[in-house]
Amino acid sequence: MFGKPFRVKSNTVLKGSDRRKLKADLSAAFPSLSADDLSELAPNKEEINVVKIYAHKGEAVTLYVLHKNPIFFELEKRLYPTVYVLWRYPALLPVFRTWAPVLQKLIGGADLMLPGVVMPSCGLPDVKQGSCCAVAIVNNRAPVAIGKAAMSSAEMHSSGMKGRGVSILHTYMDYLWAFGDKSNPPSLPDDDDDVEDANGEQCEVSQKEEYKDDDVGKCVGEQQSSGETVEDQACCGFEELSLTEEEDKVESSNEKSEETQDEQKTPQEEMDALLLQCFLHALKSKVKRSELPLLTSKFLRNHMFTCCPSGKQLDIKKSRYKKLSKFLQVMQQQYCLVQVKELTKGVESIVEVDWKNPQLRSFSVPEEAGVENKVLQGGGEGEAPYHPPEITTLYSVSARLEPLFLDTNKRKGTTMHPAEVRSIVTDYVKKNELVDENNKNYVTINPTLCDCLLEKSEYHEVESLKWDDLFSRTLGRMQECYQVVFPGQAPIVKKGHIEPIDISVASRGSNKKVTLIKNLEVYGLDPAAVATALQHRVQASTVLQLLPGAKDRVLVQIQGNQVHQVGSLLLDQFQIPRKYIQGLDKAPKSGKKK
């Protein structure tokens, strides 16, 4: 579940009444916890944060965070402990044992299969289907994964220890673990009897593994979907529990040295490095000579923010520079990368870029593409890039006008382009010699035209019509339709007017504004992908909501008045015609506040 980055919706401090409710829920969910344990997990005088997140598949999850470590997560009104809690209370859940190589597969997103479970001398733990349970590595009682039992203990035995054993929800080294302090599992040795049994089995299996490496893959099943990077991280991060002690010492020492280097970097230094990376990336791949001079605010908003790697947020206030002007001043004076001038009073612009600067030339652009590019390319590999649909206005023959189109076999409900309608009406007039001989700008009304185009009050008054009036009356009495054609798909014809993409601004709370976007699906746009692109572009949180009264429609909500940015994304990136976007006039007016 947490094998991919999740999105934080809110982060609030737990109130006193909610703290008492949390203790009661923990006591009911985990009866083995004593009163002292509950006080330690939910202390009265310590700050507990409630973080609401959306997992990568859209599941709503609530995290309870103590001392910057997630201790429990709530999914579908059920509480689960994290590895940080189970390292302090390893006996809190029933535990299944497996071998160290299997952990790599679990981190990659696979479930624990029964052939990979080590059978202890005391037998399997007694669990029911759906029970919360943990997974640990042989020779260490510290759990490394949490999940739900896929079947009961009795069913596991009756199945011959084949099939899925534990559906994994959370593992050591996933993104939920990374949300905390990223500490490693403690070393909690097994009891003497268990260790002997486990060592005996381990020797046998390790000999088999030398010749049959595929056995581990079979134990885990064929459901692994992670990339090489996750497996590599697992290999590097769990060396303490590997089967070979000599490799442990070498690799763990390397790992500790890397960790100490990471720990030496303060959050401010990390933000400084991210700021410089985005700056160099924007100069090398985004800014063009034709754009200069370029407003510094536009450079930050349209170029630097879009170069920020996914999963990270660029915040200049958290860097040592605090302001963009100070950062650019350093880039100009110390590195000679850019030249910044105040072309108008109070407004700075980048007027020159040293494209031959050694630091800029040696900088390698990260392989990770920007979020907006991913959206334009369809969001994944093998998908066609996004192209706006071709929208055409059509007209459908109504029952009243059917006699006018009988000669061309156009029955009721037939759709036509406006030019085709004009051509048919013109041919009808000429075929029936209805053009006024004295003034060819007029058309004489015959009984058919009278019934089709005139009102009852006009029957005895109107004897002729101008050509333009004839055409406008004809189109006005037909059913207006529209045709949408997406590349590589069959045309879609619907009655009425096409709904424009609606952008509106609403107030939330006392003085907070949010921007609402709807009807994206009409134009083949994925609301989730558009929300991600906007979030990356303006560095503001977004929320997806089902649109009331509309089936399969999603409303995108983003913090602040972002009408200008939304319009820029739809017009420039997605090439949606302006006439199909409603609400662009609600953008905030530019100008200084008095």
Side-chain angles (χ1 to χ4, degrees):
M1 170 175 285
F2 303 104
K4 293 183 180 180
F6 51 78
R7 182 167 60 87
V8 177
K9 178 186 177 185
S10 63
N11 188 342
T12 57
V13 177
L14 191 67
K15 298 179 181 178
S17 57
D18 294 330
R19 190 187 300 260
R20 291 190 292 272
K21 182 179 182 302
L22 175 62
K23 282 187 177 181
D25 292 341
L26 290 176
S27 178
F30 310 104
S32 61
L33 290 174
S34 64
D36 294 337
D37 295 335
L38 292 173
S39 298
E40 187 177 350
L41 290 170
N44 293 328
K45 296 184 179 180
E46 298 287 344
E47 185 177 282
I48 298 178
N49 289 76
V50 181
V51 183
K52 294 186 177 181
I53 66 171
Y54 288 111
H56 69 280
K57 290 187 178 179
E59 305 98 327
V61 184
T62 302
L63 309 181
Y64 295 94
V65 181
L66 175 66
H67 300 150
K68 297 184 179 180
N69 278 341
I71 54 175
F72 292 93
F73 64 95
E74 186 176 355
L75 175 66
E76 296 177 350
K77 298 182 179 180
R78 184 174 179 181
L79 285 169
Y80 298 90
T82 66
V83 290
Y84 292 109
V85 168
L86 292 181
W87 292 342
R88 294 162 62 186
Y89 303 95
L92 184 62
L93 298 177
V95 179
F96 290 88
R97 304 294 173 85
T98 188
W99 301 110
V102 177
L103 174 63
Q104 302 171 18
K105 309 295 182 180
L106 300 183
I107 294 174
D111 292 334
L112 179 65
M113 309 301 284
L114 290 177
V117 174
V118 176
M119 182 75 73
S121 57
C122 58
L124 292 174
D126 186 17
V127 296
K128 297 179 180 179
Q129 185 177 3
S131 298
C132 185
C133 52
V135 179
I137 301 299
V138 170
N139 290 338
N140 193 342
R141 292 188 299 116
V144 293
I146 294 95
K148 296 187 293 185
M151 59 181 77
S152 64
S153 302
E155 291 173 333
M156 292 179 187
H157 285 293
S158 62
S159 67
M161 295 301 289
K162 293 182 180 179
R164 181 179 286 103
V166 180
S167 299
I168 301 298
L169 297 175
H170 159 51
T171 67
Y172 162 64
M173 292 199 72
D174 66 4
Y175 281 90
L176 180 57
W177 166 84
F179 196 69
D181 60 13
K182 301 182 182 179
S183 56
N184 291 319
S187 180
L188 304 176
D190 287 333
D191 297 335
D192 292 339
D193 293 338
D194 293 337
V195 170
E196 290 176 5
D197 291 337
N199 286 339
E201 294 183 20
Q202 183 178 355
C203 293
E204 295 176 7
V205 174
S206 61
Q207 292 175 0
K208 293 179 182 179
E209 286 173 349
E210 293 179 1
Y211 304 101
K212 298 183 179 180
D213 294 337
D214 293 337
D215 287 350
V216 173
K218 292 179 181 178
C219 293
V220 181
E222 299 177 354
Q223 52 182 311
Q224 180 184 3
S225 60
S226 65
E228 294 179 358
T229 55
V230 178
E231 292 188 12
D232 293 340
Q233 282 183 330
C235 294
C236 298
F238 204 70
E239 307 302 1
E240 296 178 5
L241 300 179
S242 64
L243 299 178
T244 310
E245 294 182 358
E246 294 180 359
E247 293 180 358
D248 281 352
K249 294 179 182 178
V250 177
E251 296 183 4
S252 61
S253 63
N254 293 337
E255 181 189 349
K256 288 178 182 177
S257 64
E258 291 177 2
E259 287 179 359
T260 53
Q261 290 177 358
D262 292 339
E263 289 174 0
Q264 289 174 357
K265 275 193 174 183
T266 63
Q268 188 181 74
E269 292 172 340
E270 291 178 357
M271 187 56 66
D272 290 345
L274 178 63
L275 188 62
L276 180 60
Q277 176 188 327
C278 296
F279 174 74
L280 295 174
H281 186 178
L283 287 182
K284 191 159 187 176
S285 63
K286 300 287 184 180
V287 178
K288 300 177 182 177
R289 294 180 188 272
S290 58
E291 290 185 272
L292 300 179
L294 178 64
L295 290 174
T296 56
S297 58
K298 187 176 180 181
F299 172 70
L300 174 67
R301 183 176 61 248
N302 293 351
H303 298 311
M304 287 185 64
F305 279 157
T306 59
C307 292
C308 185
S310 60
K312 295 184 179 181
Q313 187 168 358
L314 186 62
D315 190 348
I316 297 180
K317 292 182 180 179
K318 293 182 180 179
S319 69
R320 65 187 176 95
Y321 305 100
K322 305 302 180 186
K323 293 183 179 180
L324 177 64
S325 58
K326 187 176 180 181
F327 170 74
L328 292 176
Q329 185 181 0
V330 173
M331 295 298 106
Q332 175 176 337
Q333 295 177 355
Q334 295 185 13
Y335 299 98
C336 301
L337 282 163
V338 293
Q339 187 175 351
V340 180
K341 287 185 179 180
E342 191 175 294
L343 298 181
T344 56
K345 189 175 181 180
V347 180
E348 291 185 337
S349 299
I350 298 174
V351 295
E352 189 176 339
V353 177
D354 184 8
W355 308 102
K356 296 181 180 180
N357 187 288
Q359 188 171 1
L360 183 59
R361 295 182 68 176
S362 62
F363 176 76
S364 57
V365 177
E367 295 181 0
E368 180 182 6
V371 174
E372 292 176 13
N373 292 336
K374 289 182 181 179
V375 176
L376 286 171
Q377 293 169 3
E381 296 180 0
E383 295 185 18
Y386 175 82
H387 293 288
E390 182 181 337
I391 303 169
T392 309
T393 301
L394 300 178
Y395 290 89
S396 173
V397 177
S398 62
R400 181 176 178 179
L401 290 183
E402 193 172 8
L404 185 59
F405 296 95
L406 278 179
D407 293 342
T408 55
N409 294 322
K410 303 290 185 182
R411 302 295 179 181
K412 178 184 175 182
T414 305
T415 55
M416 293 176 285
H417 290 80
E420 187 180 0
V421 174
R422 293 173 67 94
S423 175
I424 292 174
V425 172
T426 302
D427 291 343
Y428 176 85
V429 171
K430 291 181 178 179
K431 181 181 179 180
N432 291 275
E433 299 179 353
L434 299 177
V435 179
D436 194 327
E437 294 180 357
N438 299 324
N439 190 346
K440 294 186 178 181
N441 292 328
Y442 284 85
V443 176
T444 304
I445 301 298
N446 67 354
T448 301
L449 292 178
C450 179
D451 293 338
C452 293
L453 304 179
L454 299 184
E455 301 293 341
K456 289 184 178 180
S457 59
E458 298 175 324
Y459 282 176
H460 302 290
E461 298 177 3
V462 179
E463 297 180 353
S464 62
L465 292 172
K466 283 188 175 183
W467 280 102
D468 289 343
D469 194 12
L470 180 72
F471 294 137
S472 62
R473 284 177 180 246
T474 303
L475 294 176
R477 282 161 175 73
M478 299 180 72
Q479 171 69 55
E480 187 172 343
C481 308
Y482 65 91
Q483 175 181 275
V484 181
V485 181
F486 291 98
Q489 299 184 22
I492 301 172
V493 179
K494 293 187 178 181
K495 293 181 179 180
H497 300 272
I498 188 170
E499 295 177 279
I501 296 177
D502 184 67
I503 307 172
S504 59
V505 179
S507 298
R508 296 287 188 270
S510 57
N511 194 27
K512 294 182 180 179
K513 294 186 181 299
V514 294
T515 304
L516 308 176
I517 314 154
K518 59 184 180 180
N519 299 333
L520 292 169
E521 299 90 342
V522 177
Y523 299 84
L525 290 170
D526 179 13
V530 173
T532 303
L534 285 171
Q535 184 179 16
H536 206 71
R537 173 181 281 220
V538 302
Q539 298 289 293
S541 63
T542 57
V543 179
L544 298 179
Q545 301 174 350
L546 289 175
L547 198 60
K551 186 179 180 182
D552 300 330
R553 292 284 182 88
V554 176
L555 177 75
V556 178
Q557 174 181 305
I558 183 167
Q559 277 187 341
N561 187 334
Q562 309 292 353
V563 174
H564 177 74
Q565 293 294 333
V566 175
S568 174
L569 182 70
L570 295 175
L571 292 169
D572 301 335
Q573 297 291 338
F574 298 122
Q575 302 294 316
I576 302 294
R578 183 178 291 269
K579 63 181 179 180
Y580 297 122
I581 303 175
Q582 176 179 295
L584 293 175
D585 56 329
K586 296 173 184 174
K589 306 298 180 183
S590 59
K592 295 184 179 179
K593 294 182 180 179
K594 294 183 180 180

